[in-house]
Amino acid sequence: MRRQGLIPKAVKKFKVTTASRHQRPVAPNLLARDFKADAPNQKWVGDITYLYTSEGWLYLAVVIDLYSRAVIGWSMSSRMTANLVTDALTMAMFRRGFPKG
């Protein structure tokens, strides 16, 4: 490796970022794995992931309409906070004209 000018990179230790065993209330599963929608704005789903960028790690929250499978709201932040999710949901509501129901 020295002759080829290669430098080994140490693997960073895995850091747990979620607490699965908690006493907080859990929201009911309203979809029950039924991801089919017959019209726009019937079912919205969301997810949070993290991406490595030139600025470092950033969290990405998205809201997707299951009818069109289109991303209708998103938000990025360097921290996973409630504002990350509410900003994505607010964008979705403004883009879809505050649907009823």
Side-chain angles (χ1 to χ4, degrees), residues 6-97:
L6 299 174
I7 301 170
K9 184 176 180 181
V11 177
K12 293 183 180 179
K13 186 177 178 182
F14 179 75
K15 181 179 179 183
V16 176
T17 59
T18 57
S20 299
R21 295 185 183 110
H22 55 77
Q23 300 303 317
R24 297 185 186 118
V26 177
N29 182 357
L30 300 177
L31 287 180
R33 302 198 61 80
D34 178 17
F35 299 115
K36 185 175 182 291
D38 299 321
N41 300 327
Q42 270 188 343
K43 297 177 183 178
W44 290 0
V45 294
D47 196 13
I48 300 173
T49 190
Y50 52 95
L51 308 164
Y52 189 74
T53 68
S54 60
E55 297 179 20
W57 288 101
L58 293 177
Y59 290 96
L60 170 66
V62 295
V63 178
I64 298 171
D65 185 340
L66 287 180
Y67 178 74
S68 63
R69 306 284 190 199
V71 173
I72 57 174
W74 61 272
S75 178
M76 288 185 85
S77 176
S78 59
R79 297 181 55 219
M80 190 180 349
T81 62
N83 284 343
L84 173 72
V85 176
T86 56
D87 288 348
L89 185 56
T90 300
M91 178 189 284
M93 292 186 334
F94 271 99
R95 291 184 68 191
R96 290 299 175 102

